[in-house]
Amino acid sequence: QVQLVESGGGLVQAGGSLRLSCAASGRTGSTYAMGWFRQAPGKEREFVARIIRSGDSTHYADSVKGRFTISRDTAKNWVYLQMNSLKPEDTAVYYCAASPYMDYWVNAYWGQGTQVTVSS
């Protein structure tokens, strides 16, 4: 089992920045990729970004490219999402996920989520 705890969400004005953190514990050695997803009210959960264990490979949703940066401290089992130039449409609950595979999240572990609200 892998436990994930997100933090860093909050209320920010459009154009502002937030940094989300995700602390992983448990069998973290089984996690190859870690990612961030988000779910806005009335919408399905969507992929935001992911990074592999070594940090050499990252992938972003088109909607956040150039604004968000995912990073990972493998030694400390932390994953971060730096979010800049935030827009009201970025408002959502953000979830951290950990998977033993790259770009396959069906059997991933999930955190409880952290709320991000961007005001216009």
Side-chain angles (χ1 to χ4, degrees), residues 2-111:
V2 177
Q3 293 78 42
L4 303 170
V5 179
E6 304 96 335
S7 60
L11 173 64
V12 64
Q13 288 187 333
S17 298
L18 280 175
R19 187 195 195 204
L20 304 184
S21 301
C22 173
S25 60
R27 298 184 62 184
T28 56
S30 66
T31 60
Y32 179 70
M34 296 192 70
W36 289 94
F37 289 72
R38 66 187 182 186
Q39 187 167 18
K43 295 187 177 181
E44 295 186 352
R45 189 174 298 187
E46 65 174 2
F47 168 79
V48 174
R50 69 96 175 115
I51 187 168
I52 63 172
R53 177 184 299 276
S54 67
D56 292 343
S57 173
T58 58
H59 180 59
Y60 297 91
D62 288 342
S63 59
V64 306
K65 279 182 181 177
R67 300 189 298 123
F68 291 10
T69 302
I70 188 170
S71 59
R72 182 172 185 172
D73 185 334
T74 303
K76 297 182 179 180
N77 296 316
W78 283 82
V79 177
Y80 307 97
L81 185 68
Q82 178 66 43
M83 306 185 295
N84 298 328
S85 302
L86 283 162
K87 305 175 182 179
E89 50 263 45
D90 293 319
T91 295
V93 177
Y94 283 71
Y95 297 90
C96 178
S99 173
Y101 310 105
M102 185 169 68
D103 298 325
Y104 185 76
W105 306 95
V106 173
N107 296 319
Y109 296 98
W110 296 90

